[in-house]
Amino acid sequence: MEGTPQEGVGLHHHLQKDGDVEILEHDKSGNVQRRWLHKADKSIIPVVDQDKSNSFFSVSAREWRKVLSDAFLPVGFPHSVSEDYLAYQTYDSLQAFFSTITALLANRALLQGLGVGDANSSATFALLLTILKDAMSRVATIVFAHRFGLRIEPDAKRYRFLADLFNDTAFFLELWSPFLGSWGKVAALSVGEALRALCGVAAGASKAALSVHFAKHDNLAELNAKEASQETAVGLVGLLVGTFVVKYVEDHTSVVALTVLLVLAHLWMNYLGVRCVQMNTFNRQRATILYKEYLHSGRILTPAEVSARESIMFWYPIVTNFEGAPIAVVEFAKGYKDAMEGFSPSRDVTVFDGTGYSMFICKSHEGLPRVRLLLSAGTNPQHAIRAWFEAMGMTWDWESPKDDGKWNKMLARRIFKGQSGGFSVPRAAFEFGDLEWIWERLVQKGWSLETQAFETEAPVRLSFRAMDRKKE
């Protein structure tokens, strides 16, 4: 067929023939970006679609659109990014606009808090306060990154929203700092700077995770560069509008009221932005939502459908049974000691093996039983997904743990105790015969099984070997 590449036939072969050759430039998704006509006389002319106007104004408008698109959007847009990229960036730009104006109002209050315009304030006090703020910021960055660094990627949408919540709280602390005493200023500005540091860590790390999701053509670096250009352009507009706001709005009551409105708009835009992101990798919440629907109706949800049900702020890994009653807490253990509930003799821990993982069930007298998972050495992301699904499947028809008789009867029905210490079961935890069929359906629905985001602590993998007893 003419125009279709033939195996072993390259561009040179076609150019050697007498006649015109149409050259098509494709992006990585296979979409045609440009057409050229290589004529027999070796001249090259661009090919323009017939349905496009050839007027001067139409051509100029097209060129300007291309210039703006190349400056602010990734090359190959929209095919080079995920479908939710444009919606997220729109809301992200709007929230950046509101944030820029709010920052100007807060910065004026910050300068007043440092003593600008106050004859009774000293430069030494301002310098010491600045040093303290900087020290608080650095300490907060280190502590937050150490404590929550591994949790950000699995819950990138939550921490992206939390970042702006931290930032807006810092704005309010700075806004009220001029009306506090000396120690009040120190406390407010120091805490505000620490919150802004938390914002920097959470926003930077969560944006990195979201950028990986958006990038489709190995264009992660370019996507981040274009996002910086977008924020710069929006920031310039925000500075222009904010200059007039700062000049004409000086009354404290008006400033506070305006700041409240700007912060609410800022947070709402940020919420809508993270809401429209449709992550196609499994974390604890997304896997729970998908599997609950599967157990109820047998239907596999798409990433978009799961995203619509996903909670941005408040979620805890509590599994409910068929009647909707809370029945257990399912989570990945921090380590073997954590899985065994700290080796406490008062805990009744049952251990059994699944495919590539071990499951630890602990009956707790204080609350719901806990199901903890640990992956085996050499496993892949699909083992983690399987472990979570099978843990949910196991707890699906449990009765209420409040009744000890029912609890013991449930364990007897579900678990066959082994001989090693009375708690080990050397067989699969939950026979899930149609799992391979589910893998195929998940991929068809748009889910990625090449990575997982279940573990929010340092990943731990188990291996084990029997130790020979020494002869007496």
Side-chain angles (χ1 to χ4, degrees):
M1 183 181 296
E2 185 179 356
T4 303
Q6 303 175 23
E7 186 175 357
V9 178
L11 176 62
H12 176 74
H13 172 81
H14 287 285
L15 295 180
Q16 294 301 311
K17 295 181 178 179
D18 294 332
D20 298 343
V21 179
E22 185 182 25
I23 311 295
L24 286 70
E25 295 181 6
H26 302 262
D27 61 19
K28 288 187 176 181
S29 298
N31 302 285
V32 177
Q33 299 297 308
R34 297 184 185 87
R35 298 172 185 264
W36 305 92
L37 187 62
H38 191 111
K39 300 181 70 65
D41 60 1
K42 297 186 178 181
S43 63
I44 302 174
I45 59 175
V47 178
V48 181
D49 293 338
Q50 295 296 326
D51 58 342
K52 292 184 179 179
S53 172
N54 290 322
S55 67
F56 172 78
F57 294 104
S58 178
V59 172
S60 298
R62 243 188 348 261
E63 289 298 324
W64 274 108
R65 282 199 300 271
K66 187 177 185 312
V67 169
L68 291 175
S69 176
D70 290 344
F72 295 105
L73 295 172
V75 173
F77 176 86
H79 309 294
S80 60
V81 294
S82 59
E83 295 180 356
D84 50 359
Y85 173 80
L86 184 60
Y88 172 79
Q89 290 303 133
T90 300
Y91 289 121
D92 189 56
S93 297
L94 288 173
Q95 64 90 16
F97 172 76
F98 293 120
S99 180
T100 302
I101 301 175
T102 309
L104 290 177
L105 294 172
N107 285 338
R108 181 173 62 184
L110 174 62
L111 293 174
Q112 293 173 349
L114 291 174
V116 175
D118 184 0
N120 296 322
S121 180
S122 68
T124 302
F125 173 78
L127 177 61
L128 293 176
L129 184 54
T130 302
I131 294 173
L132 179 60
K133 285 166 67 263
D134 187 58
M136 288 288 292
S137 172
R138 295 169 189 266
V139 171
T141 297
I142 295 171
V143 172
F144 187 78
H146 167 69
R147 185 66 183 85
F148 296 96
L150 289 172
R151 298 188 180 188
I152 296 176
E153 184 173 1
D155 294 316
K157 296 166 69 172
R158 174 186 298 177
Y159 281 93
R160 181 66 191 90
F161 182 76
L162 278 175
D164 283 322
L165 195 59
F166 293 148
N167 198 41
D168 290 341
T169 304
F171 284 151
F172 279 110
L173 289 174
E174 291 175 351
L175 196 64
W176 285 99
S177 62
F179 304 94
L180 304 174
S182 297
W183 289 108
K185 288 180 183 179
V186 171
L189 295 179
S190 298
V191 173
E193 196 67 20
L195 288 172
R196 189 157 286 116
L198 302 188
C199 168
V201 176
S206 58
K207 277 188 174 183
L210 294 175
S211 296
V212 171
H213 162 71
F214 292 136
K216 290 176 59 179
H217 286 179
D218 300 323
N219 56 341
L220 179 60
E222 189 224 358
L223 186 143
N224 285 327
K226 294 299 175 63
E227 182 178 1
S229 297
Q230 296 166 16
E231 292 182 354
T232 301
V234 172
L236 288 173
V237 178
L239 285 175
L240 180 63
V241 176
T243 300
F244 289 98
V245 172
V246 171
K247 180 176 178 61
Y248 294 106
V249 181
E250 296 185 356
D251 177 66
H252 180 67
T253 303
S254 302
V255 169
V256 170
L258 181 59
T259 302
V260 170
L261 292 176
L262 289 171
V263 164
L264 290 177
H266 175 227
L267 291 177
W268 182 240
M269 290 299 103
N270 190 276
Y271 179 80
L272 293 177
V274 296
R275 231 12 223 170
C276 70
V277 176
Q278 302 167 10
M279 304 291 283
N280 64 345
T281 56
F282 283 115
N283 66 358
R284 297 173 301 165
Q285 183 179 183
R286 288 190 286 272
T288 301
I289 293 171
L290 181 139
Y291 198 66
K292 275 186 178 180
E293 180 61 32
Y294 173 76
L295 290 176
H296 272 291
S297 65
R299 190 166 67 94
I300 303 293
L301 299 177
T302 64
E305 291 172 324
V306 170
S307 175
R309 305 184 186 187
E310 197 173 0
S311 172
I312 301 300
M313 284 293 294
F314 305 106
W315 184 82
Y316 194 68
I318 295 178
V319 177
T320 56
N321 62 11
F322 189 82
E323 299 174 350
I327 199 67
V329 176
V330 178
E331 55 194 355
F332 275 81
K334 300 176 184 178
Y336 184 68
K337 182 178 180 180
D338 179 57
M340 294 295 293
E341 287 285 329
F343 310 139
S344 172
S346 64
R347 302 289 189 181
D348 181 13
V349 180
T350 304
V351 184
F352 53 95
D353 300 323
T355 304
Y357 71 91
S358 296
M359 186 183 298
F360 304 76
I361 299 179
C362 174
K363 177 184 176 183
S364 174
H365 298 290
E366 293 85 17
L368 295 174
R370 292 184 175 272
V371 178
R372 290 190 170 97
L373 304 167
L374 277 177
L375 297 178
S376 302
T379 53
N380 58 44
Q382 292 189 19
H383 289 98
I385 300 171
R386 181 184 184 120
W388 192 269
F389 284 171
E390 292 187 350
M392 291 194 64
M394 168 167 282
T395 60
W396 182 239
D397 64 348
W398 285 5
E399 291 94 352
S400 172
K402 295 179 180 180
D403 189 321
D404 286 343
K406 288 184 177 180
W407 170 262
N408 293 328
K409 190 181 299 182
M410 177 275 299
L411 283 181
R413 187 173 69 250
R414 278 287 193 179
I415 300 171
F416 298 91
K417 291 186 177 181
Q419 302 301 318
S420 178
F423 59 76
S424 179
V425 182
R427 71 177 191 81
F430 179 63
E431 300 299 337
F432 194 19
D434 57 352
L435 192 59
E436 295 303 323
W437 174 81
I438 286 186
W439 290 149
E440 296 177 5
R441 289 294 305 277
L442 289 174
V443 174
Q444 292 172 3
K445 291 290 185 176
W447 291 100
S448 171
L449 304 180
E450 302 304 317
T451 184
Q452 57 92 4
F454 290 98
E455 296 163 294
T456 57
E457 302 287 343
V460 174
R461 300 292 181 265
L462 290 184
S463 65
F464 27 81
R465 59 189 177 90
M467 302 294 290
D468 294 334
R469 293 185 178 180
K470 294 182 179 180
K471 294 181 180 181
E472 298 291 339

